Amino acid sequence: MATYRPNWEFFKLLLISLNNQDYPHLELLVRDDSDQIETSERIQEYLREFITAMPYVFTINERNMGSNRTFELLTEEVASGGYLAYCDQDDVWEPEKLSTLAALIEAPSVTLAYSDLSVIDQDGNKKADSFREFQKRVIHIYGADLFGTLLMRNSVTGCSMLIDTEVAKRALPFSNYFVHDHWLTLVASSIGELAYSAKPLIQYRLHDNNQIGASMLPGINNKADYVEKKLSQDIVRFNSLLAGDLFTAEQKALIQGKITAVEHRKAFIQSPSLSGFSKLFKALQGDHQLFLVELFLGMAGNKLGERFLKFLKR
């Protein structure tokens, strides 16, 4: 668990839900990134009060490092063997969360198991029975040979996953270009299969201070933003995967194909043409919604494109 200046009521409810897990042989590792001694001391008080069913270890970052680096340090510190579950500080876990995922991950070739999530608001009121109701473009995929698909869009929320510890350690150091859950999912899918429970095993809390939450296209308000902050950054991220020997030659060929596809999408939005339309269609085969969005952005003027993005985000 990575903590950062938590909402104390949310934090208490999370700890109670962790303490009520029906899976035995658990250990909780908590690393605080708050950079406030008073906050760290109060977190320890809550751990002493509400975590009674398992041992826990509490550590403090020397300085604020962010959630990716904090989860990376936690992964480095954990002993080999078993499985790791990554925990945010404001959700609620269903009692059978870990036992359900553990049963799935123990199947042959499975390296990561995850589940659907229900969605609650800051008062604990249910907003959706499934994360797919809240995020319409989320498609929870599972099985083998998913690496190429997951390059484009991650379907695994970090708090919903259980991953083989050796696979998580293989992913060290974490990428600077991917959020930890996407990075771990890519590594897991590159060497094995993903398993999935359609039963929501997490109550995912949306509130004003969510680090990621359910926002769509954050910071992207016009066509230039879309090109530079999304597509150009996707190319940078994909290029980062080509260094080193973590992925196979076949997987690197898939990555290179994604880079070429993003370059074609970028070129069409910047300067639409008939040949560019054909390349855009080929690049986004299987994702008709995104194809229509980028087709419209390419054909629309700057003002209309701005209004269209505002409509999408709303």
Side-chain angles (χ1 to χ4, degrees):
M1 179 197 300
T3 57
Y4 177 78
R5 305 181 187 182
N7 174 295
W8 298 112
E9 181 61 21
F10 299 167
F11 189 55
K12 180 182 98 172
L13 294 173
L14 167 68
L15 293 181
I16 292 171
S17 74
L18 297 183
N19 205 58
N20 289 337
Q21 288 297 296
D22 62 12
Y23 187 81
H25 313 304
L26 299 178
E27 183 179 17
L28 175 62
L29 275 66
V30 182
R31 180 172 275 272
D32 186 38
D33 195 39
S34 300
D35 199 24
Q36 293 179 334
I37 188 62
E38 299 85 359
T39 300
S40 296
E41 289 175 348
R42 190 170 182 186
I43 288 171
Q44 293 180 79
E45 292 175 4
Y46 273 58
L47 290 170
R48 285 192 293 269
E49 181 174 358
F50 297 110
I51 298 298
T52 59
M54 69 192 80
Y56 63 84
V57 177
F58 179 80
T59 52
I60 305 172
N61 288 345
E62 295 179 0
R63 64 185 187 283
N64 179 253
M65 296 180 176
S67 60
N68 248 32
R69 178 60 176 151
T70 302
F71 280 125
E72 180 183 18
L73 290 171
L74 286 164
T75 305
E76 290 175 354
E77 293 163 358
V78 72
S80 297
Y83 308 112
L84 296 181
Y86 292 83
C87 182
D88 296 334
Q89 64 185 16
D90 44 19
D91 302 321
V92 177
W93 290 24
E94 303 295 352
E96 69 278 15
K97 188 238 184 180
L98 291 176
S99 59
T100 301
L101 295 181
L104 291 172
I105 202 172
E106 288 170 1
S109 302
V110 174
T111 52
L112 182 153
Y114 73 109
S115 74
D116 196 1
L117 313 89
S118 61
V119 180
I120 58 175
D121 64 17
Q122 61 185 11
D123 298 317
N125 300 311
K126 184 176 286 189
K127 305 294 289 184
D129 290 321
S130 167
F131 199 65
R132 291 169 295 175
E133 297 175 22
F134 205 85
Q135 286 279 48
K136 300 298 185 182
R137 281 182 51 77
V138 167
I139 301 174
H140 290 146
I141 60 174
Y142 54 95
D145 301 320
L146 298 178
F147 180 78
T149 303
L150 290 164
L151 282 170
M152 289 294 293
R153 192 192 311 168
N154 182 33
S155 68
V156 180
T157 307
C159 62
S160 74
M161 73 162 61
L162 186 70
I163 187 170
D164 185 285
T165 298
E166 300 311 312
V167 174
K169 286 186 174 292
R170 179 183 172 89
L172 294 169
F174 287 4
S175 170
N176 292 325
Y177 298 97
F178 291 82
V179 178
H180 76 280
D181 53 7
H182 195 177
W183 175 244
L184 288 163
T185 301
L186 284 176
V187 175
S189 67
S190 75
I191 57 177
E193 300 181 16
L194 271 57
Y196 172 69
S197 170
K199 182 178 181 179
L201 299 175
I202 292 275
Q203 296 176 37
Y204 183 78
R205 190 185 301 273
L206 290 181
H207 55 87
D208 292 341
N209 295 320
N210 276 96
Q211 183 178 2
I212 297 177
S215 59
M216 179 180 182
L217 300 174
I220 296 176
N221 301 305
N222 52 53
K223 288 174 63 172
D225 285 346
Y226 190 89
V227 168
E228 294 306 317
K229 296 182 181 180
K230 179 174 175 24
L231 298 182
S232 293
Q233 288 305 304
D234 281 347
I235 292 172
V236 171
R237 292 193 310 145
F238 291 153
N239 271 309
S240 74
L241 301 176
L242 296 175
D245 58 0
L246 184 59
F247 302 114
T248 66
E250 182 180 357
Q251 288 162 353
K252 288 184 176 180
L254 287 173
I255 295 165
Q256 188 59 62
K258 299 300 183 185
I259 293 171
T260 300
V262 177
E263 289 173 342
H264 289 159
R265 294 160 57 197
K266 180 178 174 181
F268 179 83
I269 291 175
Q270 291 176 315
S271 181
S273 66
L274 186 58
S275 62
F277 170 84
S278 176
K279 292 177 180 177
L280 176 71
F281 181 79
K282 184 177 180 180
L284 292 174
Q285 279 185 333
D287 195 336
H288 298 143
Q289 288 182 332
L290 187 56
F291 168 73
L292 292 173
V293 166
E294 295 192 358
L295 175 64
F296 189 89
L297 283 177
M299 301 302 295
N302 290 331
K303 286 293 185 182
L304 186 56
E306 185 175 331
R307 291 171 60 187
F308 178 61
L309 286 168
K310 186 175 181 179
F311 167 78
L312 286 179
K313 290 158 72 95
R314 186 172 64 246

Tab-separated table of all heavy atoms in Angstrom, residues 222-223 226-227 265 268-273 276-277 280-281 284 287-312:
chain	number	residue	atom	x	y	z
A	222	ASN	N	-7.675	20.681	-27.216
A	222	ASN	CA	-7.764	21.035	-28.627
A	222	ASN	C	-6.957	20.033	-29.448
A	222	ASN	O	-6.321	19.124	-28.902
A	222	ASN	CB	-7.280	22.471	-28.869
A	222	ASN	CG	-5.907	22.718	-28.272
A	222	ASN	OD1	-4.955	21.971	-28.541
A	222	ASN	ND2	-5.780	23.753	-27.458
A	223	LYS	N	-6.988	20.204	-30.783
A	223	LYS	CA	-6.310	19.250	-31.655
A	223	LYS	C	-4.810	19.204	-31.405
A	223	LYS	O	-4.195	18.129	-31.405
A	223	LYS	CB	-6.586	19.612	-33.116
A	223	LYS	CG	-7.996	19.333	-33.569
A	223	LYS	CD	-8.260	19.833	-34.988
A	223	LYS	CE	-7.401	19.145	-36.017
A	223	LYS	NZ	-7.816	19.508	-37.404
A	226	TYR	N	-4.122	17.130	-28.442
A	226	TYR	CA	-4.327	15.714	-28.711
A	226	TYR	C	-3.106	15.118	-29.412
A	226	TYR	O	-2.663	14.015	-29.084
A	226	TYR	CB	-5.577	15.523	-29.576
A	226	TYR	CG	-6.017	14.076	-29.708
A	226	TYR	CD1	-6.894	13.510	-28.786
A	226	TYR	CD2	-5.563	13.279	-30.757
A	226	TYR	CE1	-7.299	12.186	-28.899
A	226	TYR	CE2	-5.964	11.958	-30.884
A	226	TYR	CZ	-6.829	11.421	-29.952
A	226	TYR	OH	-7.216	10.106	-30.065
A	227	VAL	N	-2.562	15.865	-30.352
A	227	VAL	CA	-1.394	15.381	-31.087
A	227	VAL	C	-0.166	15.317	-30.194
A	227	VAL	O	0.545	14.305	-30.145
A	227	VAL	CB	-1.128	16.267	-32.316
A	227	VAL	CG1	0.238	15.951	-32.923
A	227	VAL	CG2	-2.228	16.077	-33.356
A	265	ARG	N	-1.725	7.939	-37.502
A	265	ARG	CA	-2.846	8.655	-36.888
A	265	ARG	C	-2.496	10.131	-36.696
A	265	ARG	O	-3.313	11.029	-36.970
A	265	ARG	CB	-3.202	8.009	-35.559
A	265	ARG	CG	-3.751	6.608	-35.675
A	265	ARG	CD	-3.651	5.822	-34.377
A	265	ARG	NE	-4.330	6.511	-33.285
A	265	ARG	CZ	-4.136	6.225	-32.002
A	265	ARG	NH1	-3.263	5.279	-31.642
A	265	ARG	NH2	-4.800	6.884	-31.068
A	268	PHE	N	-2.547	12.029	-40.022
A	268	PHE	CA	-3.879	12.313	-40.551
A	268	PHE	C	-4.512	13.493	-39.833
A	268	PHE	O	-5.132	14.364	-40.480
A	268	PHE	CB	-4.780	11.085	-40.429
A	268	PHE	CG	-6.180	11.330	-40.939
A	268	PHE	CD1	-6.460	11.232	-42.287
A	268	PHE	CD2	-7.208	11.691	-40.075
A	268	PHE	CE1	-7.740	11.486	-42.770
A	268	PHE	CE2	-8.477	11.936	-40.543
A	268	PHE	CZ	-8.743	11.834	-41.898
A	269	ILE	N	-4.404	13.548	-38.526
A	269	ILE	CA	-5.018	14.649	-37.786
A	269	ILE	C	-4.357	15.978	-38.145
A	269	ILE	O	-5.033	17.007	-38.256
A	269	ILE	CB	-4.937	14.378	-36.269
A	269	ILE	CG1	-5.853	13.204	-35.904
A	269	ILE	CG2	-5.342	15.610	-35.457
A	269	ILE	CD1	-5.763	12.763	-34.461
A	270	GLN	N	-3.052	15.946	-38.381
A	270	GLN	CA	-2.344	17.180	-38.728
A	270	GLN	C	-2.601	17.603	-40.173
A	270	GLN	O	-2.674	18.803	-40.463
A	270	GLN	CB	-0.838	17.001	-38.499
A	270	GLN	CG	-0.455	16.882	-37.028
A	270	GLN	CD	1.021	16.612	-36.834
A	270	GLN	OE1	1.614	15.780	-37.523
A	270	GLN	NE2	1.633	17.334	-35.910
A	271	SER	N	-2.748	16.617	-41.059
A	271	SER	CA	-2.948	16.946	-42.477
A	271	SER	C	-3.745	15.825	-43.142
A	271	SER	O	-3.166	14.901	-43.732
A	271	SER	CB	-1.588	17.118	-43.168
A	271	SER	OG	-1.752	17.465	-44.526
A	272	PRO	N	-5.066	15.874	-43.058
A	272	PRO	CA	-5.892	14.784	-43.581
A	272	PRO	C	-5.798	14.658	-45.097
A	272	PRO	O	-5.688	15.655	-45.808
A	272	PRO	CB	-7.308	15.175	-43.136
A	272	PRO	CG	-7.259	16.646	-42.923
A	272	PRO	CD	-5.874	16.945	-42.447
A	273	SER	N	-5.834	13.411	-45.565
A	273	SER	CA	-5.793	13.123	-46.991
A	273	SER	C	-6.452	11.775	-47.229
A	273	SER	O	-6.713	11.013	-46.281
A	273	SER	CB	-4.348	13.090	-47.495
A	273	SER	OG	-3.650	12.000	-46.917
A	276	GLY	N	-4.094	9.154	-46.221
A	276	GLY	CA	-4.022	9.185	-44.759
A	276	GLY	C	-5.236	8.539	-44.128
A	276	GLY	O	-5.129	7.874	-43.084
A	277	PHE	N	-6.420	8.711	-44.775
A	277	PHE	CA	-7.640	8.072	-44.289
A	277	PHE	C	-7.481	6.559	-44.293
A	277	PHE	O	-7.860	5.878	-43.331
A	277	PHE	CB	-8.823	8.475	-45.168
A	277	PHE	CG	-10.073	7.686	-44.903
A	277	PHE	CD1	-10.936	8.049	-43.887
A	277	PHE	CD2	-10.377	6.566	-45.676
A	277	PHE	CE1	-12.090	7.310	-43.640
A	277	PHE	CE2	-11.521	5.830	-45.434
A	277	PHE	CZ	-12.380	6.204	-44.409
A	280	LEU	N	-5.216	5.572	-41.481
A	280	LEU	CA	-5.908	5.735	-40.196
A	280	LEU	C	-6.845	4.563	-39.948
A	280	LEU	O	-6.881	4.016	-38.839
A	280	LEU	CB	-6.689	7.044	-40.193
A	280	LEU	CG	-7.549	7.309	-38.938
A	280	LEU	CD1	-6.648	7.628	-37.748
A	280	LEU	CD2	-8.525	8.460	-39.181
A	281	PHE	N	-7.588	4.177	-40.986
A	281	PHE	CA	-8.526	3.065	-40.851
A	281	PHE	C	-7.791	1.775	-40.496
A	281	PHE	O	-8.213	1.016	-39.611
A	281	PHE	CB	-9.309	2.876	-42.150
A	281	PHE	CG	-10.311	1.761	-42.107
A	281	PHE	CD1	-11.543	1.936	-41.487
A	281	PHE	CD2	-10.026	0.520	-42.666
A	281	PHE	CE1	-12.464	0.901	-41.424
A	281	PHE	CE2	-10.943	-0.510	-42.611
A	281	PHE	CZ	-12.168	-0.322	-41.995
A	284	LEU	N	-6.472	1.724	-36.840
A	284	LEU	CA	-7.465	1.624	-35.766
A	284	LEU	C	-8.510	0.554	-36.044
A	284	LEU	O	-9.624	0.621	-35.544
A	284	LEU	CB	-8.132	2.982	-35.536
A	284	LEU	CG	-7.204	4.051	-34.944
A	284	LEU	CD1	-7.903	5.397	-34.876
A	284	LEU	CD2	-6.710	3.632	-33.559
A	287	ASP	N	-11.184	-0.780	-33.421
A	287	ASP	CA	-11.565	0.260	-32.450
A	287	ASP	C	-12.325	1.342	-33.211
A	287	ASP	O	-11.792	2.416	-33.517
A	287	ASP	CB	-10.331	0.841	-31.765
A	287	ASP	CG	-10.681	1.650	-30.516
A	287	ASP	OD1	-11.829	2.133	-30.443
A	287	ASP	OD2	-9.813	1.814	-29.639
A	288	HIS	N	-13.572	1.033	-33.527
A	288	HIS	CA	-14.362	1.913	-34.378
A	288	HIS	C	-14.631	3.260	-33.712
A	288	HIS	O	-14.673	4.294	-34.391
A	288	HIS	CB	-15.686	1.224	-34.749
A	288	HIS	CG	-15.488	-0.044	-35.524
A	288	HIS	ND1	-16.281	-1.152	-35.353
A	288	HIS	CD2	-14.570	-0.374	-36.462
A	288	HIS	CE1	-15.871	-2.116	-36.152
A	288	HIS	NE2	-14.839	-1.674	-36.832
A	289	GLN	N	-14.802	3.264	-32.400
A	289	GLN	CA	-15.065	4.520	-31.714
A	289	GLN	C	-13.889	5.479	-31.857
A	289	GLN	O	-14.068	6.659	-32.182
A	289	GLN	CB	-15.358	4.270	-30.237
A	289	GLN	CG	-16.709	3.641	-29.965
A	289	GLN	CD	-16.959	3.455	-28.479
A	289	GLN	OE1	-16.032	3.291	-27.698
A	289	GLN	NE2	-18.210	3.473	-28.082
A	290	LEU	N	-12.682	4.985	-31.595
A	290	LEU	CA	-11.508	5.850	-31.690
A	290	LEU	C	-11.259	6.268	-33.136
A	290	LEU	O	-10.834	7.404	-33.395
A	290	LEU	CB	-10.279	5.137	-31.116
A	290	LEU	CG	-9.009	5.982	-30.984
A	290	LEU	CD1	-9.261	7.234	-30.153
A	290	LEU	CD2	-7.876	5.160	-30.378
A	291	PHE	N	-11.529	5.379	-34.077
A	291	PHE	CA	-11.399	5.739	-35.491
A	291	PHE	C	-12.301	6.926	-35.825
A	291	PHE	O	-11.874	7.896	-36.477
A	291	PHE	CB	-11.743	4.546	-36.380
A	291	PHE	CG	-11.924	4.902	-37.831
A	291	PHE	CD1	-10.826	5.210	-38.619
A	291	PHE	CD2	-13.192	4.956	-38.386
A	291	PHE	CE1	-10.992	5.560	-39.960
A	291	PHE	CE2	-13.368	5.293	-39.716
A	291	PHE	CZ	-12.269	5.603	-40.507
A	292	LEU	N	-13.554	6.895	-35.383
A	292	LEU	CA	-14.480	7.985	-35.678
A	292	LEU	C	-14.047	9.285	-35.003
A	292	LEU	O	-14.167	10.375	-35.579
A	292	LEU	CB	-15.893	7.600	-35.248
A	292	LEU	CG	-16.556	6.478	-36.055
A	292	LEU	CD1	-17.882	6.078	-35.430
A	292	LEU	CD2	-16.750	6.911	-37.509
A	293	VAL	N	-13.531	9.173	-33.771
A	293	VAL	CA	-13.050	10.365	-33.064
A	293	VAL	C	-11.911	11.013	-33.829
A	293	VAL	O	-11.908	12.230	-34.077
A	293	VAL	CB	-12.598	9.994	-31.630
A	293	VAL	CG1	-11.784	11.128	-31.005
A	293	VAL	CG2	-13.803	9.682	-30.754
A	294	GLU	N	-10.928	10.217	-34.229
A	294	GLU	CA	-9.755	10.798	-34.896
A	294	GLU	C	-10.060	11.201	-36.335
A	294	GLU	O	-9.464	12.149	-36.856
A	294	GLU	CB	-8.585	9.825	-34.802
A	294	GLU	CG	-8.141	9.629	-33.355
A	294	GLU	CD	-6.819	8.901	-33.196
A	294	GLU	OE1	-6.215	8.497	-34.216
A	294	GLU	OE2	-6.378	8.739	-32.033
A	295	LEU	N	-11.007	10.523	-36.973
A	295	LEU	CA	-11.457	10.964	-38.294
A	295	LEU	C	-12.080	12.350	-38.194
A	295	LEU	O	-11.782	13.245	-39.004
A	295	LEU	CB	-12.464	9.961	-38.860
A	295	LEU	CG	-13.131	10.331	-40.183
A	295	LEU	CD1	-12.101	10.406	-41.302
A	295	LEU	CD2	-14.233	9.315	-40.524
A	296	PHE	N	-12.929	12.535	-37.199
A	296	PHE	CA	-13.575	13.835	-37.019
A	296	PHE	C	-12.546	14.913	-36.679
A	296	PHE	O	-12.600	16.023	-37.220
A	296	PHE	CB	-14.633	13.755	-35.919
A	296	PHE	CG	-15.492	14.985	-35.809
A	296	PHE	CD1	-16.657	15.106	-36.538
A	296	PHE	CD2	-15.112	16.041	-34.987
A	296	PHE	CE1	-17.448	16.249	-36.450
A	296	PHE	CE2	-15.887	17.181	-34.886
A	296	PHE	CZ	-17.054	17.290	-35.616
A	297	LEU	N	-11.610	14.588	-35.785
A	297	LEU	CA	-10.591	15.576	-35.418
A	297	LEU	C	-9.759	15.989	-36.624
A	297	LEU	O	-9.389	17.159	-36.774
A	297	LEU	CB	-9.680	15.012	-34.330
A	297	LEU	CG	-10.220	14.976	-32.913
A	297	LEU	CD1	-9.220	14.314	-31.982
A	297	LEU	CD2	-10.542	16.384	-32.412
A	298	GLY	N	-9.446	15.010	-37.480
A	298	GLY	CA	-8.658	15.336	-38.660
A	298	GLY	C	-9.410	16.231	-39.627
A	298	GLY	O	-8.824	17.159	-40.217
A	299	MET	N	-10.698	15.998	-39.789
A	299	MET	CA	-11.484	16.758	-40.757
A	299	MET	C	-11.964	18.097	-40.204
A	299	MET	O	-12.248	19.022	-40.976
A	299	MET	CB	-12.689	15.926	-41.209
A	299	MET	CG	-12.325	14.586	-41.846
A	299	MET	SD	-11.237	14.756	-43.290
A	299	MET	CE	-12.331	15.633	-44.415
A	300	ALA	N	-12.068	18.197	-38.881
A	300	ALA	CA	-12.609	19.414	-38.273
A	300	ALA	C	-11.552	20.513	-38.202
A	300	ALA	O	-10.348	20.246	-38.118
A	300	ALA	CB	-13.118	19.108	-36.867
A	301	GLY	N	-12.008	21.757	-38.238
A	301	GLY	CA	-11.124	22.874	-37.974
A	301	GLY	C	-10.779	22.942	-36.497
A	301	GLY	O	-11.317	22.191	-35.669
A	302	ASN	N	-9.882	23.870	-36.156
A	302	ASN	CA	-9.412	23.954	-34.775
A	302	ASN	C	-10.541	24.240	-33.784
A	302	ASN	O	-10.630	23.627	-32.721
A	302	ASN	CB	-8.322	25.023	-34.654
A	302	ASN	CG	-7.037	24.600	-35.335
A	302	ASN	OD1	-6.736	23.404	-35.423
A	302	ASN	ND2	-6.270	25.564	-35.825
A	303	LYS	N	-11.417	25.186	-34.136
A	303	LYS	CA	-12.499	25.558	-33.226
A	303	LYS	C	-13.490	24.415	-33.038
A	303	LYS	O	-13.920	24.114	-31.921
A	303	LYS	CB	-13.223	26.805	-33.745
A	303	LYS	CG	-12.440	28.101	-33.579
A	303	LYS	CD	-12.303	28.450	-32.093
A	303	LYS	CE	-11.632	29.805	-31.923
A	303	LYS	NZ	-11.448	30.131	-30.480
A	304	LEU	N	-13.864	23.775	-34.153
A	304	LEU	CA	-14.797	22.657	-34.068
A	304	LEU	C	-14.170	21.479	-33.324
A	304	LEU	O	-14.832	20.803	-32.535
A	304	LEU	CB	-15.234	22.231	-35.463
A	304	LEU	CG	-16.324	21.152	-35.543
A	304	LEU	CD1	-17.559	21.571	-34.771
A	304	LEU	CD2	-16.659	20.840	-36.996
A	305	GLY	N	-12.881	21.255	-33.560
A	305	GLY	CA	-12.181	20.201	-32.849
A	305	GLY	C	-12.160	20.452	-31.354
A	305	GLY	O	-12.334	19.529	-30.550
A	306	GLU	N	-11.987	21.705	-30.969
A	306	GLU	CA	-11.997	22.065	-29.549
A	306	GLU	C	-13.364	21.787	-28.930
A	306	GLU	O	-13.457	21.246	-27.824
A	306	GLU	CB	-11.612	23.528	-29.399
A	306	GLU	CG	-11.466	24.005	-27.973
A	306	GLU	CD	-10.963	25.434	-27.893
A	306	GLU	OE1	-10.234	25.861	-28.825
A	306	GLU	OE2	-11.299	26.121	-26.912
A	307	ARG	N	-14.412	22.169	-29.643
A	307	ARG	CA	-15.768	21.928	-29.134
A	307	ARG	C	-16.067	20.439	-29.054
A	307	ARG	O	-16.719	19.972	-28.123
A	307	ARG	CB	-16.780	22.625	-30.041
A	307	ARG	CG	-16.716	24.155	-29.959
A	307	ARG	CD	-17.569	24.806	-31.031
A	307	ARG	NE	-18.979	24.442	-30.927
A	307	ARG	CZ	-19.890	24.772	-31.824
A	307	ARG	NH1	-19.535	25.467	-32.911
A	307	ARG	NH2	-21.160	24.427	-31.651
A	308	PHE	N	-15.576	19.676	-30.040
A	308	PHE	CA	-15.801	18.235	-30.058
A	308	PHE	C	-15.123	17.563	-28.866
A	308	PHE	O	-15.722	16.715	-28.190
A	308	PHE	CB	-15.275	17.665	-31.371
A	308	PHE	CG	-15.409	16.169	-31.482
A	308	PHE	CD1	-16.649	15.556	-31.437
A	308	PHE	CD2	-14.277	15.370	-31.647
A	308	PHE	CE1	-16.776	14.179	-31.549
A	308	PHE	CE2	-14.396	13.992	-31.762
A	308	PHE	CZ	-15.638	13.404	-31.711
A	309	LEU	N	-13.892	17.939	-28.553
A	309	LEU	CA	-13.187	17.366	-27.416
A	309	LEU	C	-13.878	17.722	-26.102
A	309	LEU	O	-13.976	16.909	-25.183
A	309	LEU	CB	-11.723	17.834	-27.396
A	309	LEU	CG	-10.821	17.186	-28.444
A	309	LEU	CD1	-9.492	17.930	-28.538
A	309	LEU	CD2	-10.579	15.715	-28.121
A	310	LYS	N	-14.364	18.937	-26.032
A	310	LYS	CA	-15.100	19.351	-24.827
A	310	LYS	C	-16.353	18.514	-24.660
A	310	LYS	O	-16.696	18.094	-23.535
A	310	LYS	CB	-15.470	20.834	-24.932
A	310	LYS	CG	-16.106	21.410	-23.678
A	310	LYS	CD	-16.331	22.907	-23.846
A	310	LYS	CE	-16.957	23.498	-22.576
A	310	LYS	NZ	-17.171	24.971	-22.711
A	311	PHE	N	-17.029	18.223	-25.759
A	311	PHE	CA	-18.225	17.370	-25.720
A	311	PHE	C	-17.871	15.960	-25.247
A	311	PHE	O	-18.563	15.371	-24.419
A	311	PHE	CB	-18.882	17.334	-27.110
A	311	PHE	CG	-19.914	16.254	-27.267
A	311	PHE	CD1	-21.186	16.431	-26.735
A	311	PHE	CD2	-19.625	15.077	-27.939
A	311	PHE	CE1	-22.150	15.440	-26.874
A	311	PHE	CE2	-20.593	14.091	-28.072
A	311	PHE	CZ	-21.854	14.270	-27.547
A	312	LEU	N	-16.768	15.392	-25.800
A	312	LEU	CA	-16.352	14.047	-25.410
A	312	LEU	C	-16.044	13.965	-23.914
A	312	LEU	O	-16.435	13.005	-23.244
A	312	LEU	CB	-15.107	13.625	-26.190
A	312	LEU	CG	-15.282	13.249	-27.661
A	312	LEU	CD1	-13.925	12.878	-28.251
A	312	LEU	CD2	-16.270	12.110	-27.832
